[in-house]
Amino acid sequence: MRWLVFATVLPWALAACATTPHATVSLDTETLTPAEQAWRDTIVPSDQALIEDLPSIWTHVLTTAKKRSGKAIDAEGPLLQADAALDHPALPPGSYWCRVVRIGSIAGRKQIESFAPKFCYIRDEEKGLSFTKQSGSDLPAGYLYADGTQRYVFLGARQDAPGDVSLGYGIDHDRDVAGVVERVGAFRWRLVAPRDGGKGIDVYELTPVPADLQPS
């Protein structure tokens, strides 16, 4: 009897499927990983706006800078290409060379300025990966939050002295640093942080320091 009922109902069901559109399910919220939720819960609205607008900020700053320093910008290769991000952006813990390339009006008449490499350090901590610039005059330190398959979000603050990591993100907004970290080549990463409300960007080129050259 059950097979007879099924055979009777089946043609009607197939006819309904042929004439009735499939229902579309839409979700108002996306599923976030704990790290993605963490940086969204931590970041201040003005910095989040800069992170979301970073592609357009990058395009505008580079277009303007290329009018005066096109060869210098092209010479940096993928480091300054907005679409150069690769998969697997996680940085292995250890010591890195940090070379800052500053672009925009904050870099002076040529719109680009490259500084000598300094030491930075990536540490695997209980909270996650931390980033600390250990030498030089500009000393951001903070945490990296995984965000998708091609980037981390960095939230930190500029410290008073080398080795000092006491100032956390969100305590003094004038010293906060928010940016994204991406891998742009073999053993080559970049931390991109907007400056002056998006009028310029700092690009930290990160490359591992050979074991025999690492600071004690």
Side-chain angles (χ1 to χ4, degrees):
M1 178 63 70
R2 183 166 56 184
W3 286 104
L4 178 59
V5 172
F6 178 78
T8 304
V9 172
L10 181 59
W12 292 98
L14 293 175
C17 291
T19 59
T20 304
H22 292 291
T24 301
V25 178
S26 60
L27 300 178
D28 294 330
T29 59
E30 59 180 340
T31 302
L32 301 175
T33 67
E36 290 170 335
Q37 188 63 56
W39 77 259
R40 285 174 170 81
D41 289 342
T42 303
I43 197 169
V44 300
S46 58
D47 284 340
Q48 182 162 359
L50 289 175
I51 294 294
E52 292 173 351
D53 291 343
L54 185 55
S56 60
I57 292 172
W58 194 312
T59 299
H60 174 72
V61 170
L62 277 182
T63 299
T64 303
K66 277 189 172 184
K67 294 176 182 179
R68 295 193 175 184
S69 302
K71 289 184 178 180
I73 290 173
D74 291 341
E76 296 290 351
L79 182 69
L80 300 185
Q81 295 172 4
D83 59 352
L86 303 173
D87 290 338
H88 311 298
L91 293 91
S95 186
Y96 287 76
W97 290 118
C98 283
R99 181 176 67 96
V100 178
V101 180
R102 184 163 292 163
I103 308 171
S105 58
I106 57 174
R109 185 179 62 84
K110 293 184 178 181
Q111 301 278 309
I112 183 172
E113 186 175 9
S114 177
F115 298 88
K118 304 296 181 182
F119 286 113
C120 295
Y121 200 85
I122 300 293
R123 188 182 304 276
D124 191 1
E125 303 186 24
E126 182 178 352
K127 187 177 177 179
L129 291 177
S130 66
F131 168 87
T132 304
K133 189 163 180 288
Q134 298 172 301
S135 59
S137 57
D138 187 38
L139 300 167
Y143 287 93
L144 303 175
Y145 302 86
D147 190 62
T149 61
Q150 290 190 325
R151 76 176 191 180
Y152 278 68
V153 171
F154 172 73
L155 299 179
R158 292 181 174 86
Q159 307 299 312
D160 287 325
D164 180 14
V165 293
S166 60
L167 185 63
Y169 175 82
I171 297 176
D172 182 351
H173 187 57
D174 289 337
R175 296 168 67 179
D176 284 344
V177 180
V180 299
V181 173
E182 299 166 327
R183 188 173 69 88
V184 294
F187 303 105
R188 192 185 191 195
W189 291 260
R190 66 185 178 195
L191 164 58
V192 183
R195 294 288 300 263
D196 291 0
K199 296 178 181 178
I201 56 175
D202 279 350
V203 182
Y204 297 75
E205 180 188 39
L206 310 176
T207 54
V209 176
D212 58 335
L213 296 178
Q214 293 191 15
S216 58

